[in-house]
Amino acid sequence: MRTKLFFLAVLLNSFFTTATDFYVAPNGSDSNNGTIDSPLETIQKAQELASSGDTVYIRGGEYMMREDQIARYNSIWAYVTELDKDGINYFSYQNEKPVFDYQNIKPTDKRVFAFYITGDNIHIKGIDITGVQVTITQGNTQSECFEINGGSNNIIENVNMYDNMAIGVYILRGSNNLILNCDAYRNYDSVSQNGTGGNVDGFGVHVRNGDVGNVLRGCRAWLNSDDGFDTINSGEPVLIDNCWAFYNGYSSNDGTLTNITSRGDGNGFKIGGYGKGGTSYYTILQRYAPIPRNTVQFSIAAKNKQSGFYANHHLEGNNWFNNSAFQNRRNYNMLNCKELNSQDFATDVPGWNHHLVNNLGFGASTAEIVEIDKPRCILKNNYFDLSVTVNSSDFISTDESELASSRNADGSLPSINFLKLEASSDLIDAGHKLELSEIDGIDDFNLNQNLYNYGGSAPDLGAFELGTLSVNNLFVDKKFINYPNPFNQETTIIFNLIENSKIKIAVYNLLGVKIINIPSTTYQKGKNTFVLEKGRLSSGNYLLIIENNRGERNTKIISVN
């Protein structure tokens, strides 16, 4: 009996344990206790004191980082802040803006990583990173603002990375990481490789087999000296959704889009590939095969130095849905390698097995679309295979500077007119409605993001639909979805029934513990909706399950603060 009572006491205590808040401030001290009145100086110390479920609030102001704050050295790497504890939030405090400046961290011959993440279920939100340095002058090198190396189910949200010599976000290992509403811009390595800046991308995902479900959503990359978005050497599908890449491959001499100098590769979205022989055949087999299909959808590539959307010698096709390209050298470049075998894996051929639907382009300086074997691809209602003529009168605006406008108050992409269609354009209602059965290479959770309600007889071409998309009228046969996802207040669950039925709805955490249980309720045949409020759900990933007497269906939901 004592054992049972002790176990019950421990169990109850685990349910009612309250999270602790810690505070970090520019004028703080790591000898303080981390309260709002006695803040810490570093995030590293805050992590030491915090536990899973706690939140570290980061006060606004400038954090001039010092070399004595480097958490760990490992061979050629210097990890300034190393986040290896699970389940901790790191949020800017209220409406304040913390800026972390790394210009004084220059360890000799080291790659500098501002944040090195190996923990799981970490959420970072609302900070700026600037001044990350490169100190290695010989050979191929890189520094990084964020590297995720083994961590899963992490969220990096509303983070700005600018005026660095470093890559913005670099995912090397880990699953189900979400990079949400982040900006990487004016990043240029002037030190290594004679100042070509050839390794400084905005965002990169380069994971191995088993590292599934990584998503970039609502992100922007501009004036990065190499590429905007890069998924070379990746062994699992990557989803890039509603992202913008412009003026990559250049550095800016005065911070503007007009006074620029040519630098590295300069592709907007460089998706897939294994270096055309730069990665050995046997390494590809071991780390990356079977070759994944990546997806880029509802995204914009404008005035990048080379290609807007580029398949980069990939050994498989990719999905390209409802994208818009503007005045890149080549708007769409589908170049593949021939086949995954020891003789052909590094042989370039026109792109095959790509799935291109509802894409739009205008004004390429060299070619609208190149390196594509059309009979071996699935092409539906793209501007290059329809009887339409695209010209400037189709668009409300062709001023690409709008892409750099300030974000909305909630951190989402700004509302702009660039490449939005005029009501009189024949590109409106010229698209093809994607069905679930047509789409390969995306799991059900990310597949749902392709479904939207369009206002006319068919979808429009390009990244924008005329008018506002109405999520209230979504209809999904044999599936269910929730929208928005991620969500911070409430999410609407939408499901279709073939008959009247009692439905149970439950939410589980990733440990299999039921967090929310909605009592069984009878719903009518046809489309039904249910609003799930966040309530006391902490930030993280959860499994939502709908069940009736015929079985159950599930999807992943993401709660964010």
Side-chain angles (χ1 to χ4, degrees):
M1 179 62 70
R2 288 182 179 178
T3 301
K4 291 181 179 179
L5 288 175
F6 175 76
F7 174 76
L8 179 60
V10 171
L11 183 63
L12 290 173
N13 186 61
S14 69
F15 275 111
F16 291 99
T17 298
T18 58
T20 302
D21 294 338
F22 294 91
Y23 294 83
V24 173
N27 62 350
S29 169
D30 282 353
S31 62
N32 290 340
N33 60 11
T35 64
I36 192 169
D37 296 320
S38 185
L40 303 164
E41 181 184 17
T42 66
I43 290 175
Q44 193 68 50
K45 183 63 177 180
Q47 180 194 233
E48 179 183 325
L49 299 179
S51 300
S52 180
D54 292 346
T55 297
V56 175
Y57 287 106
I58 308 165
R59 301 301 302 270
E62 187 175 54
Y63 294 77
M64 291 300 300
M65 305 299 290
R66 308 183 305 271
E67 285 192 22
D68 67 333
Q69 294 172 328
I70 294 174
R72 182 166 67 94
Y73 293 94
N74 176 27
S75 183
I76 63 170
W77 297 281
Y79 308 135
V80 182
T81 300
E82 183 173 15
L83 301 181
D84 55 4
K85 292 176 71 172
D86 299 343
I88 301 174
N89 301 318
Y90 301 90
F91 295 158
S92 61
Y93 182 67
Q94 296 183 356
N95 294 320
E96 298 177 2
K97 175 57 67 176
V99 179
F100 290 82
D101 192 328
Y102 294 79
Q103 62 179 295
N104 295 327
I105 295 186
K106 300 179 180 181
T108 303
D109 293 331
K110 301 293 183 185
R111 295 186 178 190
V112 178
F113 293 180
F115 285 83
Y116 184 66
I117 301 171
T118 59
D120 299 333
N121 296 298
I122 294 167
H123 190 174
I124 300 171
K125 183 177 181 180
I127 66 175
D128 285 9
I129 306 293
T130 191
V132 178
Q133 301 291 300
V134 166
T135 64
I136 300 174
T137 59
Q138 301 298 317
N140 192 30
T141 190
Q142 65 193 49
S143 291
E144 299 159 16
C145 297
F146 291 88
E147 178 171 301
I148 300 176
N149 192 349
S152 296
N153 304 303
N154 298 301
I155 300 173
I156 300 176
E157 181 183 4
N158 288 135
V159 170
N160 301 313
M161 299 151 285
Y162 54 87
D163 297 331
N164 299 284
M165 297 184 186
I167 296 168
V169 176
Y170 193 88
I171 304 178
L172 192 60
R173 298 299 305 269
S175 296
N176 301 315
N177 295 293
L178 172 64
I179 314 304
L180 178 65
N181 293 338
C182 292
D183 289 340
Y185 59 99
R186 297 198 310 258
N187 298 305
Y188 162 51
D189 170 11
S190 61
V191 173
S192 67
Q193 299 178 323
N194 298 316
T196 59
N199 270 352
V200 183
D201 301 323
F203 301 87
V205 183
H206 315 282
V207 296
R208 297 187 187 182
N209 299 41
D211 295 326
V212 299
N214 291 296
V215 176
L216 304 172
R217 178 169 287 126
C219 295
R220 297 185 293 185
W222 73 96
L223 288 174
N224 298 288
S225 58
D226 203 34
D227 301 305
F229 296 81
D230 188 350
T231 68
I232 190 174
N233 289 342
S234 184
E236 295 289 350
V238 177
L239 173 66
I240 300 177
D241 178 38
N242 194 26
C243 292
W244 300 349
F246 50 105
Y247 281 93
N248 292 291
Y250 302 99
S251 64
S252 177
N253 302 311
D254 58 6
T256 69
L257 298 175
T258 55
N259 187 6
I260 56 178
T261 300
S262 176
R263 298 297 181 186
D265 287 350
N267 299 286
F269 297 87
K270 186 165 76 176
I271 306 302
Y274 304 93
K276 191 192 172 183
T279 302
S280 75
Y281 172 65
Y282 295 102
T283 299
I284 295 173
L285 288 180
Q286 181 182 30
R287 295 182 180 179
Y288 308 120
I291 305 303
R293 293 183 64 86
N294 303 291
T295 299
V296 182
Q297 61 184 20
F298 302 101
S299 293
I300 296 175
K303 287 199 172 181
N304 295 286
K305 176 182 167 183
Q306 295 293 345
S307 299
F309 298 93
Y310 179 36
N312 191 36
H313 318 276
H314 199 38
L315 281 160
E316 174 59 274
N318 291 313
N319 299 322
W320 314 86
F321 303 144
N322 278 91
N323 300 298
S324 296
F326 177 76
Q327 292 188 359
N328 305 281
R329 184 178 180 186
R330 297 167 295 267
N331 276 340
Y332 294 87
N333 182 350
M334 298 292 104
L335 181 66
N336 278 132
C337 281
K338 187 174 181 180
E339 189 176 349
L340 184 58
N341 61 52
S342 58
Q343 287 75 41
D344 299 322
F345 79 101
T347 301
D348 280 342
V349 295
W352 48 272
N353 208 29
H354 293 291
H355 193 166
L356 294 100
V357 180
N358 300 342
N359 295 292
L360 176 60
F362 175 61
S365 62
T366 299
E368 289 297 324
I369 184 165
V370 297
E371 298 290 353
I372 183 169
D373 187 347
K374 289 186 177 182
R376 298 183 65 196
C377 295
I378 297 175
L379 309 176
K380 294 188 177 181
N381 297 59
N382 302 285
Y383 75 111
F384 54 78
D385 55 22
L386 291 173
S387 297
V388 296
T389 300
V390 183
N391 54 54
S392 58
S393 64
D394 285 304
F395 305 103
I396 298 173
S397 168
T398 55
D399 179 6
E400 74 280 353
S401 67
E402 293 183 36
L403 294 168
S405 301
S406 298
R407 287 181 173 269
N408 296 324
D410 64 357
S412 60
L413 290 170
S415 299
I416 61 174
N417 287 320
F418 176 67
L419 294 192
K420 285 186 175 178
L421 298 176
E422 289 277 11
S424 58
S425 173
D426 60 356
L427 307 176
I428 291 174
D429 296 346
H432 167 77
K433 181 186 176 183
L434 278 168
E435 302 291 345
L436 299 178
S437 59
E438 296 180 81
I439 304 170
D440 298 323
I442 319 176
D443 61 33
D444 284 350
F445 165 64
N446 288 318
L447 186 71
N448 293 333
Q449 308 305 319
N450 289 290
L451 302 175
Y452 57 91
N453 182 60
Y454 46 89
S457 59
D460 300 340
L461 297 192
F464 297 116
E465 178 78 11
L466 180 67
T468 302
L469 301 183
S470 174
V471 301
N472 293 325
N473 293 324
L474 288 172
F475 182 86
V476 186
D477 188 21
K478 299 181 181 178
K479 299 276 185 180
F480 76 93
I481 67 171
N482 69 290
Y483 196 98
N485 195 16
F487 67 99
N488 59 14
Q489 295 296 330
E490 63 184 29
T491 185
T492 300
I493 302 164
I494 306 168
F495 56 95
N496 184 60
L497 297 177
I498 62 174
E499 61 187 12
N500 295 352
S501 179
K502 285 189 175 182
I503 295 293
K504 296 178 182 178
I505 300 174
V507 176
Y508 293 79
N509 66 19
L510 298 185
L511 296 177
V513 178
K514 185 183 292 186
I515 305 298
I516 295 176
N517 184 51
I518 308 299
S520 179
T521 302
T522 299
Y523 289 88
Q524 302 301 307
K525 177 182 177 180
K527 188 188 74 172
N528 293 271
T529 62
F530 175 84
V531 176
L532 177 68
E533 295 182 350
K534 177 181 178 180
R536 298 183 64 182
L537 280 181
S538 61
S539 294
N541 295 324
Y542 297 87
L543 188 67
L544 186 150
I545 294 179
I546 290 181
E547 180 182 2
N548 68 3
N549 59 357
R550 290 177 174 265
E552 66 178 42
R553 298 190 183 277
N554 64 75
T555 191
K556 182 172 65 176
I557 62 173
I558 302 175
S559 168
V560 298
N561 286 334

